[in-house]
């Protein structure tokens, strides 16, 4: 099939690479978000998908909005058979959905209908799921509600951050998306409607959502830190300045600390929660680079009774 691939961030690259390398299909163009400011100089930078497509000599389309008439006209001229999508980042209008003969097929990083929305992996980690996966489905105008072509499953490990899990899903999902394109092309794969039960939503996790509540149980604190790593980053406050918690681990045998209260030894930093303590392993003070929590504690000289958070 002639494919137009839609995607923007680095997580979309394994799927794009797989389709470019496919002997059965041809990626004739990619659709991605417009260049955006990045880095300290805030210079305009192309998306990872745009850069990879340009390296491969593939046409790149960067509409400000997918409903732009110029974009729709160009997509009609290209006349793709199908448009595979991975983390494109914009809602597709009906006019765009109707152009490819086999529609738009999204690779979504959850086992639909669980975790429909922008942050499925983060919510899976936050909820303590033991199993998750990726799904390919036919895009329709609803939110991740279209019929499903196929799934792959992936175990959620006890120490997984969202970044760890998303990386594994990106590579497993790339194979699933390529197999889905094969099945659509040869007519052996038909999408199955999603069940009406088991629907859960995964809205974007904001910086405000990522603030640690030290009165919550240690298990909840651990999940929040892992779910918000690498972005937006779990955080708290210390001496009225923001402190990011890069990594932490529950310590079941330490129950002597009140929620938020700090205790530091030469090699470890503990914080009380609503249950048992957690040990901070890496932190990032405001305006500084990540550092070992023990090094941070020695530098700030934690006083007896000091706390994190409000």
């Amino acid at each position: 099939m002639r494919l137009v691939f839609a995607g923007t961030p680095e997580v979309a690259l394994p799927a794009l690479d797989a389709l470019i390398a496919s002997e059965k299909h041809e990626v004739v163009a990619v659709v991605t978000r417009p260049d955006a400011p990045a880095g300290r100089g805030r210079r305009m930078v192309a998306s990872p998908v745009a850069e990879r497509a340009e390296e491969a000599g593939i046409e790149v389309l960067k509409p400000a909005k997918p409903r732009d008439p110029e974009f729709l006209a160009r997509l009609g001229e290209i006349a793709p058979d199908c448009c595979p999508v991975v983390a494109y980042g914009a809602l597709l209008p009906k006019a765009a959905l109707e152009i490819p003969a086999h529609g738009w097929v999204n690779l979504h990083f959850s086992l639909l209908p669980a975790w429909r929305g922008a942050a499925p992996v983060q919510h899976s980690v936050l909820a303590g799921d033991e199993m998750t996966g990726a799904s390919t489905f036919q895009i329709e105008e609803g939110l991740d509600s279209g019929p499903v072509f196929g799934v792959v499953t992936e175990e959620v490990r006890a120490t997984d951050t969202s970044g760890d899990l998303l990386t594994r899903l990106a590579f497993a999902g790339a194979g699933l998306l390529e197999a889905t394109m094969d099945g659509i092309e040869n007519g052996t794969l038909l999408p199955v409607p999603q069940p009406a039960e088991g629907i859960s939503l995964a809205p974007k996790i904001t910086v405000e959502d990522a603030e640690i509540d030290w009165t919550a149980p240690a298990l909840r604190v651990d999940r929040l830190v892992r779910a918000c790593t690498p972005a937006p980053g779990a955080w708290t406050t210390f001496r009225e300045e923001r402190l990011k918690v890069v990594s932490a681990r529950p310590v079941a045998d330490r129950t002597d600390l009140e929620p938020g209260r700090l205790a530091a030894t030469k090699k470890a930093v503990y914080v009380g929660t609503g249950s048992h303590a957690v040990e901070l392993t890496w932190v990032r003070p405001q305006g500084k680079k990540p550092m070992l929590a023990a090094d941070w504690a020695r530098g700030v000289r934690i006083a007896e009774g000091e706390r994190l958070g409000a």
Side-chain angles (χ1 to χ4, degrees):
M1 294 192 295
R2 285 167 51 81
L3 306 178
V4 170
F5 180 91
T8 298
E10 189 172 348
V11 71
L13 294 182
L16 176 57
D17 289 342
L19 293 173
I20 290 174
S22 171
E23 296 180 357
K24 298 181 180 180
H25 312 292
E26 180 187 6
V27 179
V28 294
V30 303
V31 183
T32 190
R33 300 294 292 150
D35 296 359
R40 290 187 176 181
R42 308 304 291 167
R43 64 185 183 89
M44 300 300 286
V45 175
S47 74
V49 164
E51 291 182 349
R52 185 63 53 87
E54 288 167 357
E55 290 170 1
I58 297 171
E59 179 180 356
V60 179
L61 306 175
K62 302 178 182 180
K65 296 180 179 179
R67 69 173 67 94
D68 290 352
E70 297 83 359
F71 166 68
L72 294 174
R74 180 57 189 143
L75 190 62
E77 291 171 356
I78 295 171
D81 296 307
C82 190
C83 294
V85 184
V86 185
Y88 169 47
L91 293 176
L92 298 162
K94 185 178 180 181
L97 296 177
E98 292 176 343
I99 290 176
H102 294 286
W104 297 64
V105 176
N106 191 43
L107 173 63
H108 183 76
F109 298 116
S110 80
L111 298 176
L112 291 170
W115 304 128
R116 294 176 179 176
V121 175
Q122 290 170 308
H123 280 274
S124 184
V125 173
L126 189 59
D129 290 348
E130 295 180 353
M131 187 69 65
T132 187
S135 309
T136 49
F137 71 94
Q138 191 90 54
I139 294 181
E140 54 183 31
E141 291 188 87
L143 175 64
D144 300 335
S145 59
V148 173
F149 287 101
V151 301
V152 291
T153 59
E154 180 70 34
E155 179 185 359
V156 183
R157 300 168 188 169
T159 58
D160 270 341
T161 65
S162 290
D164 297 332
L165 184 55
L166 186 57
T167 297
R168 297 203 306 275
L169 288 172
F171 283 94
L176 173 64
L177 186 60
E178 183 180 4
T180 300
M181 294 297 104
D182 293 347
I184 291 173
E185 189 273 332
N186 62 30
T188 61
L189 193 58
L190 295 174
V192 177
Q194 294 184 34
E197 300 79 27
I199 297 171
S200 52
L201 300 180
K204 179 180 179 181
I205 292 181
T206 66
V207 172
E208 290 73 22
D209 296 330
E211 183 178 6
I212 298 170
D213 175 8
W214 295 108
T215 66
L219 184 63
R220 173 72 180 182
V221 173
D222 172 57
R223 288 176 180 172
L224 179 68
V225 171
R226 291 187 293 111
C228 294
T229 301
W235 61 277
T236 185
T237 54
F238 177 71
R239 297 176 185 169
E240 300 184 352
E241 287 193 345
R242 187 167 294 191
L243 177 73
K244 280 195 173 182
V245 178
V246 179
S247 62
R249 66 178 187 90
V251 182
D253 60 356
R254 179 126 198 200
T255 59
D256 59 317
L257 296 174
E258 298 172 356
R261 185 171 176 179
L262 285 160
T265 67
K266 290 183 178 180
K267 295 183 178 180
V269 181
Y270 302 98
V271 189
T273 74
S275 57
H276 48 270
V278 298
E279 179 187 349
L280 304 183
T281 49
W282 283 83
V283 298
R284 185 173 186 175
Q286 189 168 318
K288 297 183 179 180
K289 295 181 179 180
M291 63 178 66
L292 288 168
D295 293 342
W296 166 77
R298 281 192 293 271
V300 297
R301 298 183 179 180
I302 295 170
E304 179 71 25
E306 280 201 283
R307 298 175 180 268
L308 296 180

